[in-house]
Amino acid sequence: MIKVLYAGSPEAARQTLEILVQNQAQNGFEIAGVLSNPPSAKGRHKDLIPTPVAQYAMENNIPVFTPEHLDSAAREEIGKIGFDVLVCFAYGHIFGPKFLSMFKFGGMNLHPSLLPKYRGCTPVPAAIINRDKQTAATIQTLSLKMDEGDILAQTVVDLDGTETNESLLNDCAKKGAFLILGLLKDIDKNGIMKEGIPQKGDSSYTNIITKEDARINWNASAKEIEALVRAYYPEPACWTMEKGQPLKILKAKFLEDRQEFAGEVPGKVLLFSKAEGILIKTKDGILSALELQRQGKKAMNYKDFMNGARDFIGTVLGE
């Protein structure tokens, strides 16, 4: 039976791992170990919390490796198990040649984009921000350069304009898991990893998202801002300034402009509608805020938010 080292860290990667574990026996492989980021300090008491992937592995008695660096000591420790193949999704580190050489059948990586479009660490937000009609769950060979490996398998995912970063990433995680199952089953049957297809077309790259990237520019259109809200949900979450204090807008929809608001300045809170939400003027169109969160407060739907924000109407956000 093939021994697999699974490398990943966030919740979406945990979902992929769960599907692999549940289907490993009938597909000729075993998740014999998990590689994940070290625990991080969270909460008031700075307790060390394992990543979702590491937590799932521990709950299922799978050996867990959480080195700070993939140095010689880490390679020696991991090498004791004798893994045959490396499967990666959102681990967060680039693998060097010495590490990749440890695996008899090499490695494969799940990347949620239509490669070579959106290489890098944030392909899902990029697809949403650009309002693409399609993306994909792509399995590629692990290469020494970021996301330049050959394509082993791919499932195209149609987008309808309602996806959030969270929902789309989770969807790709699940679809990608079943592609990985097929590839591992094929290795078990044929004793070799199938040959991939070189990437074709123009490449583009995505970068780490900063808090400032998520700041709302009210001089953009309502459609652009609504896409940004979805792309950055739940983290880092779109935000603006309200009378000198940060205000997150977590869910929203766009509306067409209305003649009675034609002369209002972008960022002005126009009115509260029980049916439509909290209406905010943009350069082109109206953004309806549906879920909001003030600093230090819980996230609230627009109706509950307005119960404690009687002076909110008329405010110009962003100042």
Side-chain angles (χ1 to χ4, degrees), residues 261-283:
F261 302 131
E264 301 290 0
V265 298
K268 184 173 182 179
V269 181
L270 302 170
L271 59 85
F272 163 62
S273 165
K274 288 185 177 180
E276 294 182 303
I278 300 170
L279 275 54
I280 306 168
K281 186 75 170 70
T282 73
K283 183 179 180 180

Side-chain angles (χ1 to χ4, degrees), residues 279-307:
L279 275 54
I280 306 168
K281 186 75 170 70
T282 73
K283 183 179 180 180
D284 180 13
I286 296 168
L287 188 79
S288 171
L290 302 175
E291 185 174 321
L292 308 91
Q293 184 177 16
R294 283 177 167 150
Q295 190 171 35
K297 304 292 185 180
K298 296 188 301 182
M300 291 185 282
N301 66 52
Y302 65 96
K303 294 177 182 178
D304 292 337
F305 180 86
M306 286 304 300
N307 286 335

